[in-house]
Amino acid sequence: MDTQLLVIGGGPGGYIAAIRAAQLGVRTTLVEGEFLGGTCLNVGCIPSKALLHLAAEFDKAQRYAADNALGIRVSRPSLDAAQAIRWKDGVVRRLTGGVATLLRKHGAEVIDGWAEIVDGKTVDVRGQRPGGMQTRRISCEHLLLAPGSVPAALPSLPFGGRVISSTEALSPEAIPDKLLVVGAGYIGLELGIAYRKLGAEVTVVEMLPQVLPAFDAELARPVAASLRRLGVTVHLRSTVLGLNDAGDAVRLRDEAGAEREIAADRVLVAIGRRPRTEGWGLERLQLDMDGRFIRVDSQCRTSMRNVWAIGDATGEPMLAHRASAQGEMVAEIIAGGSRRRFEPAAMPAVVFTDPEVVVVGHSPAEAERAGLDCIHAHFPFSANGRALTLEGGEGFVRVVARRDNHLIVGWQAVGAEVSELAAAFAQSIEMGARLEDVAGTIHAHPTLGEAVQEAAMRALGHSLNV
Ligand SMILES: Cc1cc2nc3c(=O)[nH]c(=O)nc-3n(C[C@H](O)[C@H](O)[C@H](O)COP(=O)(O)OP(=O)(O)OC[C@H]3O[C@@H](n4cnc5c(N)ncnc54)[C@H](O)[C@@H]3O)c2cc1C
């Protein structure tokens, strides 16, 4: 046996599993075919948030160049796109370098190369070695599959030429004059907003009747209003038919059947992601599948003994923190002594649009569908001092709690910088807090967190500031 644990994939699922396993004394080898850090650090969470920050700062500078309420006067700013992308790449490099250092520090072996499964205990790794391209066969006691996901393609708009995925959109050579985004989910809107703030004319096309279709309409409304304010054109209930004959515009059909063409220099297809389950011999294991995903139980065991799977390849929600939490758990089970199960009470999800959205647990409608008798209450940021000092008086915090014992089962918020409330929301649900616990906790003034306390107070019928 060459190694006790062989991990395929160095994303936030695989690298966390490898670090934790090595920390616990498990002989661990991680195989990564592209870049340590996976989608998240290289072409996902981190570069997209860097691009959003960059765009927000540029947009701010542009607003200050015109008349503005704050009285700041600057001359007209310009963008050095090449330097901006170098800065973003620097953030990515720093984090991926950190992952390599951590793996080394804890004694996990890292092999560069693409893994091809031979059987449940044997993997061939093909990679560039000093003598040229070589294949190395590795045998293991436990095999952990963390291959992640790839952008889903649209048959009517295959990737290539001006049709790009989020990966290319995160490393533009220049900001296009006209960007058309297909899909108004979180990736499409985050990138669409960033490009708009960097100066592109942006059009978003969505098949469903609202932006952020995975979220409730009340949360999506302030985001839709902000898109209008920013000058992003949105076509809802519209289907993309393909490029026109000249290849410089996208053909759409609206719900009434009318067709139109929208000119675009770049077309970003952001309709979702699919698990990376093909092209590396996974079928040889004949695992039970869940549609396109690898089926796992509550300990991330697949249908084959000592073969485990985590992260995007195992289902929704496809989020980095889910992959990491699963990876940490699997490492502890393999190391022995842990009987943990992956059954989180709270799984936060954040959309880094302008304004931001955060959801944890049940919305009122989801609680009802789950058969829970709940009360819910909002607190608007228009009544929160800190939000007003951030020029962010729009949006709200909403709490959902059981009517009988006030146990909190959900939090939602939309507003400036609400992503940072995700920790308080998740902790309160995970720790079994009741409305009285949050209402009775002293929250610092002036902070957005006071809106969290006030929402709980309002649900109890005694809000003080609204
Ligand atoms: C634009 C964008 C923005 C996002 N923003 C967020 C966000 O804000 N918050 C959030 O939580 N999530 C976000 N995500 C999702 C997040 O990136 C994923 O959920 C997360 O990366 C999944 O982790 P993973 O470990 O399962 O897989 P991945 O990160 O996809 O890593 C899998 C790794 O496995 C390697 N691999 C695959 N097959 C093989 C093989 N056969 N041999 C060797 N190596 C292999 C791949 O090269 C890859 O590096 C975003 C995604 C995108 C695209």
Side-chain angles (χ1 to χ4, degrees), residues 35 38-57 79-97 164-175 191 194-195 198:
F35 306 109
T39 304
C40 172
L41 264 59
N42 294 285
V43 291
C45 325
I46 297 302
S48 62
K49 271 76 238 182
L51 199 69
L52 274 163
H53 173 69
L54 178 72
E57 294 302 299
L79 181 73
D80 177 347
Q83 168 54 29
I85 298 303
R86 273 199 297 279
W87 169 78
K88 184 254 326 170
D89 290 343
V91 174
V92 168
R93 242 190 337 271
R94 189 159 162 194
L95 287 168
T96 52
I164 59 172
S165 73
S166 55
T167 300
E168 294 78 36
L170 287 166
S171 293
E173 275 157 27
I175 302 304
L191 291 172
Y195 270 75
L198 291 170

Side-chain angles (χ1 to χ4, degrees), residues 7-15 30-49 111-117 123-126 145-151 166-167 170 186-188 190-191 273 276 278-281 310-314 317-324 326 348-352:
V7 182
I8 298 181
Y15 84 73
L30 182 147
V31 182
E32 170 53 57
E34 216 166 359
F35 306 109
L36 277 179
T39 304
C40 172
L41 264 59
N42 294 285
V43 291
C45 325
I46 297 302
S48 62
K49 271 76 238 182
I111 302 180
D112 294 338
W114 289 100
E116 170 88 22
I117 289 180
V123 166
D124 280 344
V125 182
R126 194 170 157 69
L145 314 174
S149 61
V150 291
S166 55
T167 300
L170 287 166
Y186 85 94
I187 293 178
E190 286 183 8
L191 291 172
R273 296 181 62 80
R276 196 196 296 242
E278 283 159 14
W280 49 284
I310 55 173
D312 283 9
T314 62
M318 290 197 200
L319 292 171
H321 40 280
R322 172 174 172 270
S324 298
Q326 289 178 321
V350 176
V351 182
F352 291 82

Side-chain angles (χ1 to χ4, degrees), residues 14 52 71 86 99 118 128 139 161 190 196 247 251 264 267 294 352 354-355 369 373 410-411 424 432 439 445 447 466:
L52 274 163
R86 273 199 297 279
V99 169
V118 178
Q128 199 66 43
S139 59
E190 286 183 8
R196 176 67 197 130
R251 291 164 39 237
V267 182
I294 303 170
F352 291 82
D354 171 11
R369 279 200 292 278
D373 181 17
W411 289 102
H445 176 74
T447 61
V466 78

